[in-house]
Amino acid sequence: MVYSLAYRRPPHVEIDRLSYASEGKPGSSSEAHSFSHSSSSSGIPDALSFDRVISGGTCPPCTIRDFMNYLVYIEMAAENLQFFLWFKDYSNRFSSLPTGEKALAPKWLFDTTEVESTVYNKPIVSKKVSPETAATFKDTDFAAPKVTVSECTHDPFHTPPTTPDGAMESPAIGSVCGWSDDGFTYRSDKKTFQQTAAGAFESADVILQPFTIQPFRDEISRIIAIYMADGSPRQLNLSAKERALALRALASTTHPSALADIAHTIEWSLRHQAHPNFIRWTICNGNRSRVIFARGLGVAGIMGGIISAIVITLSDAGRGWRVLSTIGFVIGIATLIAAWKGMCVVLHGMHHRHLRPWELFVDEDGASSTFEMKNGSFDSFGGSNSYEDEPWVAKYEKRNIIRKVLDREVWIQEPALRQIQDTIFLQAIIGAVCGSAVVVAIFIAFPKGAYY
């Protein structure tokens, strides 16, 4: 079973983030959801929709784990999905709170007028103190604190503290900045995540009130320190207006509505940019070396067809013999069309795909990536998404071109993806037959040369 012969794989989406953040972005989650269905990217079947992937209704290599790996290693924007998954879980947990606790954090109603005037009309004033003042207050309680987490160091051998029940606690931002000696706070040059969040509020000219009785206040402070503070390990690509709106709201309440605007923007980016690009990338069943090799074979097949047609045309053989060159043209053109769309026809014949570079070097536990063990790509409070120091990077670079072309293969489990590849292969065959017929017809039209 294949899709329509007019099927086209999803185009590569390159959207200026600020353009969709300010132009036509839905104002609510329901609007965003309905709009996503009405204007979803072409080439993505319902079986591979964004909601199906997020809800776990797909098979490898189209699962949410594969989506996360794509964002980490290819698009390098995993913080969007990490924040989206956290916000989805946070909204559910907040909704399940008792009514009395939810009343402590009322729903936030945005008023953008004041924020816009603050962000766009206020003159920029440097907050740096003069050297004389800094020297006067040095080593005193009035010295200006450093609130960024970008300068913190990471101890890979430090073990996170255990919770009172003995379970190992999530490393959270401590995976970047480390835990304090008492095991209950994070350190960033002796600054806790609360101080980092306070610095973010200060940079946005927002006064934070100590609402310690509001539910999830500490968790919100960690989110600010990880995703919103300047220099944070997973800093989101937010506009000044979005950041100011969110910080102003979070200074007053921990209700999910305080982050609704950011969540809608992130979801918009995932649905209409990251997800279509992920499906397009997943359709490719071979690595770059294999695809380039397949293109070379396609060109070689076409050249073989041309040479054989010329040789037969110049000979004393009849016109009918020139049809034999069709074999080279069909094989070459079909291989070239499929390779141009990232597919290797040999791998497709077995419904196989190459293992990704981070999947090649598995450990004894079968983990596909050391990143998932060290930093935790699905850990909402993890550290930086950088992977340059992972062992597989150096190992894969040392592989010669032949080993990359002949990398290990695995069967494609997702039926919808196999159908897409079947459709592309059928399109390549039809295109090859039509193209070969035209070229061979041209050669048949020539009189025989009778040179030998």
Side-chain angles (χ1 to χ4, degrees):
M1 180 179 177
V2 296
Y3 294 107
S4 171
L5 293 179
Y7 171 83
R8 296 185 62 183
R9 60 178 178 159
H12 183 72
V13 183
E14 292 182 0
I15 302 178
D16 181 5
R17 191 192 170 286
L18 294 181
S19 66
Y20 66 73
S22 58
E23 300 177 5
K25 186 185 68 174
S28 66
S29 59
S30 59
E31 292 177 12
H33 184 75
S34 61
F35 191 88
S36 67
H37 286 283
S38 62
S39 62
S40 58
S41 178
S42 60
I44 303 178
D46 293 338
L48 296 178
S49 64
F50 177 79
D51 296 313
R52 287 288 295 271
V53 173
I54 295 299
S55 62
T58 53
C59 300
C62 301
T63 63
I64 187 174
R65 182 177 297 275
D66 297 302
F67 190 22
M68 180 68 75
N69 286 335
Y70 167 79
L71 292 175
V72 171
Y73 299 114
I74 305 300
E75 196 163 292
M76 291 177 285
E79 62 275 1
N80 290 335
L81 182 57
Q82 291 161 343
F83 179 85
F84 173 79
L85 294 177
W86 169 83
F87 181 79
K88 186 177 180 181
D89 175 70
Y90 180 76
S91 299
N92 294 333
R93 287 187 285 119
F94 190 92
S95 300
S96 63
L97 288 175
T99 305
E101 292 188 31
K102 287 194 290 186
L104 299 175
K107 184 177 181 179
W108 177 259
L109 299 178
F110 283 99
D111 183 8
T112 61
T113 305
E114 182 180 357
V115 175
E116 288 179 352
S117 61
T118 302
V119 174
Y120 298 110
N121 300 328
K122 187 190 69 172
I124 299 176
V125 179
S126 176
K127 294 187 178 183
K128 293 184 178 180
V129 299
S130 62
E132 295 80 5
T133 305
T136 303
F137 293 110
K138 184 178 181 181
D139 298 329
T140 67
D141 294 337
F142 300 97
K146 298 179 180 179
V147 295
T148 64
V149 299
S150 58
E151 300 176 358
C152 61
T153 57
H154 170 46
D155 181 6
F157 302 103
H158 190 78
T159 302
T162 56
T163 56
D165 60 357
M168 192 68 69
E169 194 164 306
S170 172
I173 194 174
S175 60
V176 175
C177 301
W179 287 87
S180 62
D181 294 334
D182 59 11
F184 292 97
T185 59
Y186 300 109
R187 61 167 176 252
S188 171
D189 289 340
K190 300 182 180 179
K191 300 297 184 290
T192 63
F193 63 87
Q194 291 96 337
Q195 291 172 307
T196 303
F201 285 116
E202 181 183 358
S203 65
D205 289 333
V206 177
I207 299 177
L208 175 64
Q209 300 295 334
F211 291 115
T212 55
I213 61 174
Q214 284 188 333
F216 305 120
R217 172 54 66 180
D218 284 347
E219 184 174 349
I220 290 295
S221 297
R222 295 186 187 182
I223 290 298
I224 294 174
I226 295 173
Y227 293 95
M228 300 178 63
D230 291 333
S232 55
R234 296 180 178 179
Q235 185 174 359
L236 297 171
N237 185 19
L238 302 175
S239 65
K241 176 182 175 181
E242 288 173 321
R243 186 172 180 270
L245 280 169
L247 290 174
R248 185 175 297 276
L250 292 174
S252 301
T253 181
T254 58
H255 194 278
S257 59
L259 290 169
D261 189 65
I262 292 179
H264 295 162
T265 301
I266 295 300
E267 182 178 357
W268 182 266
S269 173
L270 290 171
R271 284 183 179 274
H272 298 280
Q273 182 177 14
H275 177 250
N277 291 343
F278 166 66
I279 299 300
R280 177 186 175 92
W281 172 79
T282 307
I283 292 174
C284 303
N285 59 5
N287 56 32
R288 179 177 175 82
S289 301
R290 183 63 169 259
V291 171
I292 293 176
F293 180 74
R295 291 177 183 177
L297 289 180
V299 173
I302 295 174
M303 293 302 298
I306 293 175
I307 293 174
S308 62
I310 292 176
V311 170
I312 298 174
T313 301
L314 296 178
S315 68
D316 193 28
R319 294 175 183 263
W321 290 98
R322 302 176 195 178
V323 180
L324 292 176
S325 61
T326 305
I327 300 175
F329 284 121
V330 170
I331 295 176
I333 296 177
T335 302
L336 187 60
I337 293 177
W340 207 261
K341 297 184 178 182
M343 283 180 50
C344 172
V345 293
V346 177
L347 292 176
H348 172 71
M350 301 177 289
H351 278 143
H352 282 190
R353 68 173 180 90
H354 270 159
L355 289 175
R356 311 301 180 188
W358 53 87
E359 297 174 331
L360 286 171
F361 309 98
V362 296
D363 61 2
E364 297 178 354
D365 297 329
S368 62
S369 172
T370 55
F371 175 83
E372 296 177 5
M373 295 187 298
K374 291 190 310 178
N375 298 337
S377 56
F378 282 93
D379 182 6
S380 301
F381 303 101
S384 173
N385 292 319
S386 175
Y387 64 89
E388 287 80 4
D389 59 341
E390 292 188 21
W392 69 263
V393 177
K395 292 180 180 179
Y396 191 75
E397 288 297 330
K398 294 178 181 178
R399 286 200 164 200
N400 57 57
I401 189 67
I402 302 300
R403 289 195 65 186
K404 290 181 179 180
V405 171
L406 302 176
D407 265 343
R408 283 185 294 163
E409 308 165 9
V410 65
W411 185 62
I412 296 175
Q413 302 180 34
E414 176 55 49
L417 182 60
R418 296 199 302 267
Q419 292 180 22
I420 291 177
Q421 294 176 341
D422 290 340
T423 304
I424 293 177
F425 178 73
L426 183 59
Q427 292 173 340
I429 292 296
I430 294 176
V433 170
C434 295
S436 301
V438 173
V439 176
V440 172
I442 294 175
F443 277 103
I444 292 177
F446 285 101
K448 62 182 178 180
Y451 289 105
Y452 47 86

